[in-house]
Every structure is written in C-alpha cells, then in structure tokens.
Amino acid sequence: MREMKMKRNIYFIVLILAVVSSCKLDETPKATATADDIFGSENGLKTYSYSFYNMLPSGTDAYKLDAMADYGAVNNIDNFIREGAYSPETSSGWDMADWQALRNINHFIDNCTNPEVSETVRNNYIGIARFFRAYFYLNKVIRFGDVPWVDHALDYKEDDILYAERDSRTVVMDHVMEDLDFAYNNITETETDGTLITKWTALGLKTRAALFEASFRKYHTELNLMNTANTFYQYVVDAGKALMESGAYSLYTGQGIEKSQRELFISETPVTQEVMLAVALSKDQAVMGDANWWWTSATYGPRYSLVRPFINTILNLDGTPYTDKPNYNTQEFYEECQNRDYRLAQLIRTPGYERNGAASPPNFSGFSYTGYQAIKYTLDDPYYDNAATNTNALPLMRYAEILLNYAEARAELGQMTATDWQNTVGALRARAGVTGGLSTLPTQVDTYLKNTFFPDINDPIILEVRRERQVELALEGFRFNDLKRWKRGELMADLEWSGIYVPALDKLMDLDHNGTADVVFYDGSKDGPSITVPTGCAKVPIGGKETNYQTMTADKHLEWYKSQPRTWYADGRQYYYPIPANAIVKNKNLQQNPGW
C-alpha cells in the first residue's frame, strides 16, 4: 500500500523535501542531497515520485468530498452558499503551499535527465509527474477558471512569469491533455495494488478532465467556447474506449447485486477489479481513517443526510421511475424502500440493515435529519464510530466513473448506440439488480427528473445518463463539480432538503417494520409527544423554538433548515471561487473573477 511504501522510504523523502518542498516559487533549491542521490537511479526517482501522492485526498478526507452538495442536508451550511459570508478575504486554494506542490513536480521534470538511468525509466517517472501536474491544474481550473500555466521550476528572476496575468483556461486545458497523453504513453506500470498511478489512471483522469471541460464549454455559453466543446467530448470518447477495450478493469460483482457496489467502499484492500486508484489504510501501520466517526457522530460530523428529491430519482427494480407510482409522495419509509435499485440499500440505511446483528433503522437520535442516513463509507460494526479507527480502503477513481464519462460524452455528441448503453449505463444498473431497459436506449423523458433537476434538458438519453451518474457516484466527490459544469448551480440553493413522509405527529413510527417503534415526531411548541413513548424510541420536535430547524413540508415530509436560506447568486459568480485577496495584493496583474 502506498502509505506503507512511503513509510519505508521516509528517510529518503526527508532528503528530497529538504531539496525541493521548502522552496518558494522564486527560490533556488539548496541541495542537502546530491542530484545523483535523487535522479541517478530508478529507486531515487521512484522514492521522489511518492511525494506527489500527497496531492491526493487522504484517509481522513477522501470520504467527505461531497461535503457540500445539493443532495446533502447538513448541520452547518457552507459559507460559500451563504449570502455575503464568502469573499476574496476568506478564499483559499492560491496559497504558497498549493504552488509549492507544482514546483515540486516541475523541479523533478526539469532534473530527471541523468543518462545513467534509461530513457524508458526516466520517461515513466516523468509521466507520473505529468499526471500529477495535470491533476493539479484540473483542480485549479475547476476552482478558479483561468490560472497561470507554469511548466518549469521558476527562478527568482523570472518576474515576467511570477507576476504575470492568468492564462486562459483554453491554454491550460490543452496542456493538461498533453500531460495526460504523455503520461499514458510513457508510464509503464499497468497493474498495482490500487494505490499507485498507472497508464490506465492517466487515461481515466483524461476522461474526467476532458468531460469537465467539454460540458463547461457547452453549457457556459458566456465563454463563447461552444464550438470547441465537441473536441473535448471526443477526447473523453477516445480515452474511455481505449480503457474499456484494454480489459484492465471491469465492474465488480463478487458480492452479488445486493452488496457488490458497497463492498468497493468497505473492503480492507482496494478491489482492484474495479478500483483504479484508492487510499489504502492499515491498523498495523497506524494509518487509519475516521469515516465512521464523521458519518455517524452527532457532533464530530455534519449529520449528513441525503434528501428526498435525490432519493426519488433512484429507479424501481424493473427499471421504471419510482415517481411514476401515483402514491409515491405518501409512501412511508418502509414502502418507499421496497423493490428499488439495490444501490439504495447500499447507500442508506433501509429496512433490514443491521449493525452487529441488530436492526439499525435510520437514527433520529442526533444522527439524521431526513431519515436517509448514508452508509456508503461506514463499517457496520459500531466499534469504529467514535475514533479514527477505520481501515477500509477509499476509492478515488473507479471503472464505473469511466463508463459514465464515456456514456455522457457519447450522449452529448448524439452518438450513443444501444450497444454503448448496454455496456455502460445498462451494465451499472444490471450490477444493482435493475432488470428493465438495460439494452435499449431510453425514448421517454422522466418529467420528475427533468423538472426537479435539469429543466433545460429534453434529451431522454442525456437525462438518464445524468440520473445514473448521480446515483452510482453519490457521495464520491463529483456532485458539486457536475452542477458547475452543467450550469445547474441553482440546485445548491433551491433543492428542497426534505425527508421521509410523516403521516401525522404524535404517532409511533416503526421504520423497518420489525415490531419496535423507532421515532415519534411531535409539535415542537409543546413539551413533548402527547402519547406514551417506549424506551429507545427517538422523540423529534417539529418546529417550535427558534433554534429548531426541523420542520415539515406542506405535504408532510420532514424538512431541514428551511429558515436558513442558501444562496446562488444570479450573476453566476459561484461557478468560480474568488482569487484570494492577498494573492492580488502581491500580483497586481491578477484580475479578480467576476462578481467577487
């Protein structure tokens, strides 16, 4: 595993960091290890390359990448979507530490020239470095739009670059594609334990980066780049096809339709049949995460609760929309969970879910606001709930994502065939137990999906690909960026944070129908329920005192934070983060993003 390999080489990494990581953009590195120590052997290059992996999400944040998303109700609204709460003075992502990571990569590329190491070996590690440079710049473009492109370790005298204007995203993203092509063509590694970069992860990142750029250019018409969007969609298709035809990965089905997808997130080691890149953890190496603690704590985590409009988009097992049922809006929790795509039961606590053999319905005693309590990253033993004890590997890139990237690009290009559908969306749905519509292209628009999420989309194929993406990749860190590239940021403010149906107050509710009352909701202006409540049954006030944000919709569904407005500015400024004010003070040539 990557963490353990890095521990074994920690002394050498310390030498490297003394050479490069403390350097600012305008400093000349002062060597405490000779160039031959680092660049004169394959082992030196390999060990240096481990420092790049620090750019990836760690074991303590890889499971909370969707912390801010339209479909997640939380206990504290992010300042980015609070009116007037976010500004250039509070922005981040342009700090010296961010750019030091780029300098570390460029320093390696500049100096990886020793002829004592074969060109093939050198190019392999340069390919890994260029993968990470592409990864770095993709994240910067997603966050800020235009950014300065720097392809070498800057000398302190290079004021023309140090204090230059930002380069256009078109320039930067062309370089990202070049870096990823070089990485794919030169990285020699094709199989690992799932924690290291291979030529296939380079292809995978290319599909991710090109899809973001293609759709951003298509739907953000104000950029006047629509005529170049299809070029990037084609990059997705070509890279995705090469990866699919390689046979290097396939969808994991080893646990059956009821458990296979979730197994990818709770397995002790990366399931390399499908997982292309992961953070691996180990109790023996004292490298552990705290996913359970974050997802199940009433105080440490955000009490993240999925919302009903999103849950409503998860299909029935026969492939029909759940919202086609005439009574879908008045079904209680138990009924709404029956005969649904098995990803529902692998995503949230549904009737039948157990922890250590005990029935564990949604927990309203300080854990869930909506009743849709996520389990995707959490281990089922409560032992893991109260400290950093998780050892489950955390996927960062999966083959499922590649299938969805490919499917979306084909759909946007108007080229989706029945075979494409069957091999991508159909395959993912089949893995989840869905039986209908696996090999035929959709021809009918789902009005609920369209009206709730994507009112400007009339193509049923594009709509269904988007449905599949939000269900398959839920909580994996894609959602906010997807909304930005589709120009649907309004959902961050407008999507109702509603939950399960509550037919009446002061009524005992047995959520999983096991004969035990789980929760009762009551008028929060009263002292408590007007009925006798058995021990162990949660009592949840609705409305009442000013500090209680748990209310009810007009159609009797739980609703959270209704009185706390979320804001998406009409001028669209939140499609980018502001350049931090201190960066503009240092470089007068930096222009602030519009609206900030």
Side-chain angles (χ1 to χ4, degrees):
M1 289 180 282
R2 184 173 79 245
E3 283 84 353
M4 288 183 275
K5 289 175 182 176
M6 292 178 72
K7 278 178 176 284
R8 289 197 295 268
N9 291 284
I10 191 166
Y11 174 73
F12 200 74
I13 289 177
V14 168
L15 284 178
I16 291 170
L17 294 180
V19 177
V20 295
S21 294
S22 65
C23 299
K24 297 181 180 179
L25 287 176
D26 59 350
E27 287 182 345
T28 301
K30 297 178 181 179
T32 58
T34 68
D36 284 346
D37 290 332
I38 300 170
F39 299 105
S41 70
E42 180 173 2
N43 187 58
L45 300 181
K46 178 188 297 185
T47 306
Y48 192 127
S49 73
Y50 290 148
S51 68
F52 305 148
Y53 288 82
N54 293 326
M55 297 171 60
L56 298 175
S58 71
T60 55
D61 56 22
Y63 53 81
K64 50 189 175 185
L65 299 177
D66 261 351
M68 185 172 69
D70 60 324
Y71 53 44
V74 292
N75 60 8
N76 191 18
I77 297 173
D78 193 286
N79 281 342
F80 191 68
I81 53 174
R82 285 182 183 270
E83 185 171 8
Y86 202 88
S87 70
E89 285 69 32
T90 57
S91 187
S92 61
W94 203 283
D95 301 330
M96 184 58 68
D98 297 291
W99 296 101
Q100 283 175 342
L102 174 63
R103 179 176 173 79
N104 185 37
I105 293 169
N106 284 336
H107 178 81
F108 179 89
I109 295 171
D110 291 348
N111 290 277
C112 188
T113 58
N114 193 319
E116 295 297 316
V117 181
S118 75
E119 184 177 15
T120 299
V121 170
R122 281 186 279 121
N123 282 344
N124 170 65
Y125 289 102
I126 291 173
I128 293 171
R130 292 183 69 169
F131 170 94
F132 280 102
R133 186 165 67 186
Y135 179 86
F136 173 91
Y137 268 110
L138 171 62
N139 290 330
K140 283 289 179 281
V141 169
I142 289 172
R143 190 172 182 88
F144 297 113
D146 298 344
V147 290
W149 171 259
V150 182
D151 62 1
H152 63 281
L154 293 179
D155 184 88
Y156 71 95
K157 297 179 181 179
E158 295 183 85
D159 287 357
D160 58 326
I161 300 176
L162 287 167
Y163 301 102
E165 298 178 352
R166 292 188 283 168
D167 290 301
S168 164
R169 68 184 301 134
T170 59
V171 171
V172 176
M173 290 306 294
D174 282 346
H175 284 307
V176 167
M177 294 297 106
E178 292 168 3
D179 274 353
L180 291 172
D181 285 342
F182 183 93
Y184 169 63
N185 289 321
N186 288 278
I187 294 175
T188 56
E189 193 71 66
T190 57
E191 296 182 16
T192 75
D193 60 0
T195 67
L196 298 175
I197 303 304
T198 68
K199 67 189 302 96
W200 307 125
T201 48
L203 271 185
L205 186 61
K206 185 174 181 180
T207 69
R208 183 186 296 181
L211 184 65
F212 182 88
E213 190 61 14
S215 43
F216 204 95
R217 293 185 186 195
K218 176 176 180 176
Y219 291 103
H220 287 263
T221 55
E222 71 279 3
L223 297 178
N224 294 317
L225 294 172
M226 297 87 73
N227 62 334
T228 63
N230 284 358
T231 298
F232 279 81
Y233 280 128
Q234 192 61 48
Y235 289 155
V236 181
V237 169
D238 293 343
K241 183 178 180 181
L243 186 48
M244 293 159 67
E245 291 180 347
S246 74
Y249 298 95
S250 60
L251 295 179
Y252 175 72
T253 57
Q255 297 289 321
I257 57 178
E258 297 184 13
K259 298 180 179 179
S260 288
Q261 195 224 35
R262 184 166 176 245
E263 181 65 19
L264 302 173
F265 299 88
I266 62 174
S267 172
E268 286 277 319
T269 57
V271 182
T272 55
Q273 178 180 334
E274 179 174 342
V275 175
M276 301 169 63
L277 185 63
V279 179
L281 306 173
S282 169
K283 183 176 182 179
D284 291 340
Q285 296 290 328
V287 181
M288 293 179 284
D290 54 4
N292 272 55
W293 195 11
W294 195 80
W295 282 101
T296 63
S297 171
T299 54
Y300 176 60
R303 294 177 62 178
Y304 199 107
S305 307
L306 288 162
V307 301
R308 184 174 180 82
F310 165 74
I311 296 295
N312 283 344
T313 65
I314 298 177
L315 296 171
N316 297 316
L317 278 175
D318 64 5
T320 59
Y322 169 69
T323 50
D324 280 357
K325 293 182 177 182
N327 65 333
Y328 84 90
N329 211 36
T330 55
Q331 284 196 321
E332 292 190 37
F333 181 71
Y334 181 88
E335 284 74 25
E336 74 169 308
C337 293
Q338 304 307 305
N339 300 311
R340 301 284 291 276
D341 177 330
Y342 280 111
R343 284 173 294 191
L344 177 63
Q346 296 174 81
L347 178 63
I348 64 169
R349 295 188 181 192
T350 55
Y353 174 72
E354 295 182 346
R355 309 194 82 199
N356 278 5
S360 298
N363 188 336
F364 283 95
S365 296
F367 295 101
S368 181
Y369 295 119
T370 65
Y372 305 118
Q373 186 173 351
I375 61 171
K376 192 167 189 175
Y377 289 97
T378 57
L379 300 176
D380 296 332
D381 189 338
Y383 161 80
Y384 297 97
D385 289 354
N386 299 309
T389 53
N390 280 74
T391 55
N392 45 317
L394 304 170
L396 301 176
M397 183 184 291
R398 296 195 287 131
Y399 184 60
E401 180 204 344
I402 311 309
L403 297 182
L404 289 166
N405 294 347
Y406 177 86
E408 184 175 337
R410 291 285 278 178
E412 292 283 4
L413 289 169
Q415 298 173 353
M416 176 76 83
T417 67
T419 300
D420 290 331
W421 180 266
Q422 184 174 4
N423 291 338
T424 56
V425 176
L428 288 164
R429 291 182 178 177
R431 194 252 295 270
V434 176
T435 59
L438 303 180
S439 58
T440 56
L441 292 173
T443 58
Q444 186 173 351
V445 166
D446 177 358
T447 54
Y448 181 88
L449 179 65
K450 172 183 167 62
N451 293 340
T452 306
F453 289 94
F454 309 113
D456 296 331
I457 302 298
N458 297 305
D459 184 328
I461 299 175
I462 293 176
L463 277 171
E464 288 302 320
V465 170
R466 290 191 182 185
R467 182 206 303 273
E468 189 63 21
R469 185 176 182 89
Q470 66 188 41
V471 172
E472 176 65 28
L473 301 181
L475 306 182
E476 294 182 46
F478 296 98
R479 184 59 174 181
F480 185 38
N481 290 340
D482 285 346
L483 296 183
K484 288 200 292 184
R485 65 189 178 86
W486 293 329
K487 207 173 183 181
R488 283 296 290 139
E490 293 88 349
L491 285 168
M492 295 296 296
D494 299 341
L495 191 67
E496 185 179 79
W497 280 4
S498 57
I500 65 171
Y501 177 66
V502 179
L505 299 181
D506 295 310
K507 173 187 175 182
L508 297 178
M509 297 184 68
D510 179 2
L511 297 175
D512 54 4
H513 284 200
N514 71 340
T516 301
D518 300 305
V519 63
V520 59
F521 299 94
Y522 67 93
D523 184 346
S525 64
K526 309 262 178 84
D527 292 335
S530 62
I531 60 173
T532 300
V533 180
T535 301
C537 179
K539 295 179 284 188
V540 180
I542 300 297
K545 59 183 178 180
E546 186 177 336
T547 56
N548 180 25
Y549 298 123
Q550 187 79 73
T551 56
M552 198 93 78
T553 65
D555 58 359
K556 298 184 177 180
H557 290 88
L558 296 179
E559 186 166 20
W560 177 247
Y561 252 147
K562 175 69 173 178
S563 63
Q564 294 294 304
R566 291 168 278 142
T567 300
W568 194 265
Y569 291 101
D571 60 12
R573 71 187 70 173
Q574 289 151 293
Y575 287 112
Y576 310 96
Y577 278 75
I579 307 298
N582 60 357
I584 292 179
V585 168
K586 294 174 183 177
N587 180 3
K588 301 298 184 182
N589 290 316
L590 289 178
Q591 297 296 312
Q592 186 56 270
N593 278 325
W596 294 104

